Amino acid sequence: MTQQHPARTGGQVLIDQLAAHGTDTAYGVPGESYLAALDALHDAPVRMVVCRHEGGAAYMAEAHGKLTGRPGICFTTRGPGATNALVALHTAHQDATPLILFIGLVPRGHTDRHSFQELDLRGTFGASAKLVETIDDAARIPEYVARAYAVAGSGRPGPVVLGLPEDMLTDVVRVADATPLPVPDGGVAPAELARTEALLSAAERPLVILGGSRWTPAARADVQAWAEAWSLPVAVDFRCQDLVDNEAETYVGHLGYGRDDLLAERVRTADLLIAVGAAPGDVTTDGFTLLPHDGTGPRLVQVLPEAQPPGVLHPAELTLLASPEAFGAAVRTLRPAGPVAWAVRTKQDRAAHVAFRTPAPEPDPLDLGAVFATLDARLPADTVVTFGAGNHAIWAQRFLTYREGGRQLAPRNGSMGYGIPAAVAASLADPDRQVVSIAGDGCFLMNGQELATAVTEGAAPLVLVLNNSQYGTIRQHQEQTYPGRVSGTALGNPDFAAYARAFGAHGETVTTTEEFGPALDRALDSGRAALIELKVTEGRLAPGVTVAALRKETADV
């Protein structure tokens, strides 16, 4: 006898699939195009976090995907709602983050008639998503959703877009729930492991670079243990500082924007690069300048979760098709035959990194180096740190220590407005964990309205707003190229502390170094979302960088 499945609306079938795939939280802004799904969420074990803007909602889902390794879920309505979320899809695409965006669409009979808020789903999202599909048959919802989860998380993860016609969601069908599809990890064959060992044994100046996604606690632990057994210097890609315990004796710093010149030189002079999780890209290699293009560069081992075309600029001698966890489990078994040639060099690189990340005193009333040293000493080891894009992130990258269990959520595509939504998502995912968001004044106001979501949902992140009344990164470039000709970079700002208090958060302003410690204690002890505005000394753009200094450098050239 054929099993008789209960009759359900398409909206109910959809939400049941989310629960069946282990999703406990979704983010979104409501729309009439998916009311049936909202109705199903009313009684579901899936929490719907209602946000103030689709960009903020999609960033929250992207951050959730980064934090958990499972696809973050976002719902938007058609047209304007959907396109507002596109910025987060670009982030997920470049950062290799699993994300599923569900978009309510016009009824099936209204398509291709320039209907209200109609949009071409594949044309709009195809360049930024791994998969874009529209579910026209409610009975096929389980199939489409299972595929979406698998595609979003497999190989190099990324975003998937599923369109939901409004009338499809109200259809009543009888269909079984789908079983989640497996996500393969790949692996390292014995011959590949032996080749890796041989390349290491023949090297004199190796360097390991960790990046990408699909990192798990086991992967982090195994790769770190392997590096320590071989005294291998370990660097990380841009905004991947949580891939290794920064206190490890083999950790030598981060590449990309704000990196140490000495570490860049180590890349330039390495004779073996082992890149785990991602191939060396333009940010990692300073616009492809750190590695020679004439074939005289280092031997390259690439460990990637999916096959990629051979590199033209830096072809790999060995490519391993494996996730970081599969690679870590394999190489942890390797041990050097004796003392390695580069052990002293690794200690030197480590010492250089420790010196680089130690703040130098600045002659400012509010010394941000000292502020971040205080913050670093006060935060628990498993703190989640979020930030968006801009010069404010340099302090968070350089002077905060990402210890074992800590996490860094930041967009590798340089997307402003990310930090606050990411902090809300992280705080909701684990309310007992400290979450800190570092924001510039420009970056903060791109999604500062999501403080309302934090207060409404009971999230309690701490936000530090570095207020220098300008788009600092662009001002720095401007002063270097067109000194003294300030155009399009100045900002007029509100009272950020009052802004936070208006939402019901704790808010205060700090203008001197001495004020920060007590203000930090009050914010952390408030038990709610909190914001501290840091009044950056006029002219300060970055650690060791001021407008006056840039103008002097330009004048001396």
Side-chain angles (χ1 to χ4, degrees), residues 160-237:
V160 169
V161 177
L162 288 184
L164 310 170
E166 181 180 343
D167 57 329
M168 182 277 296
L169 290 174
T170 60
D171 285 350
V172 176
V173 296
R174 296 180 183 274
V175 62
D177 293 333
T179 299
L181 299 173
V183 174
D185 278 332
V188 180
E192 294 173 326
L193 188 61
R195 179 62 175 151
T196 301
E197 184 175 19
L199 288 169
L200 262 178
S201 299
E204 295 181 355
R205 300 178 305 280
L207 179 65
V208 177
I209 302 176
L210 311 182
S213 62
R214 293 192 65 177
W215 286 85
T216 63
R220 290 174 171 86
D222 284 348
V223 169
Q224 183 170 321
W226 163 66
E228 290 174 346
W230 287 78
S231 297
L232 284 168
V234 177
V236 295
D237 205 344

Side-chain angles (χ1 to χ4, degrees), residues 261-284:
D261 289 343
L262 291 176
L263 182 56
E265 184 62 21
R266 287 295 187 248
V267 176
R268 188 179 285 110
T269 59
D271 64 351
L272 174 67
L273 284 182
I274 301 179
V276 185
D282 61 320
V283 176
T284 313

Side-chain angles (χ1 to χ4, degrees), residues 304-357:
L304 303 171
E306 73 173 4
Q308 291 184 353
V312 176
L313 294 177
H314 316 301
E317 183 163 333
L318 175 63
T319 297
L320 306 180
L321 189 60
S323 68
E325 184 168 311
F327 173 76
V331 296
R332 182 164 187 157
T333 64
L334 298 180
R335 290 293 183 273
V340 295
W342 55 82
V344 172
R345 185 185 178 100
T346 299
K347 289 182 179 180
Q348 294 171 342
D349 291 351
R350 172 66 184 173
H353 167 66
V354 171
F356 177 72
R357 80 182 196 194

Side-chain angles (χ1 to χ4, degrees), residues 97-116:
T97 305
L99 170 69
I100 302 175
L101 177 64
F102 292 100
I103 300 175
L105 300 179
V106 300
R108 287 165 291 189
H110 295 187
T111 58
D112 301 324
R113 292 177 174 174
H114 295 283
S115 299
F116 179 65

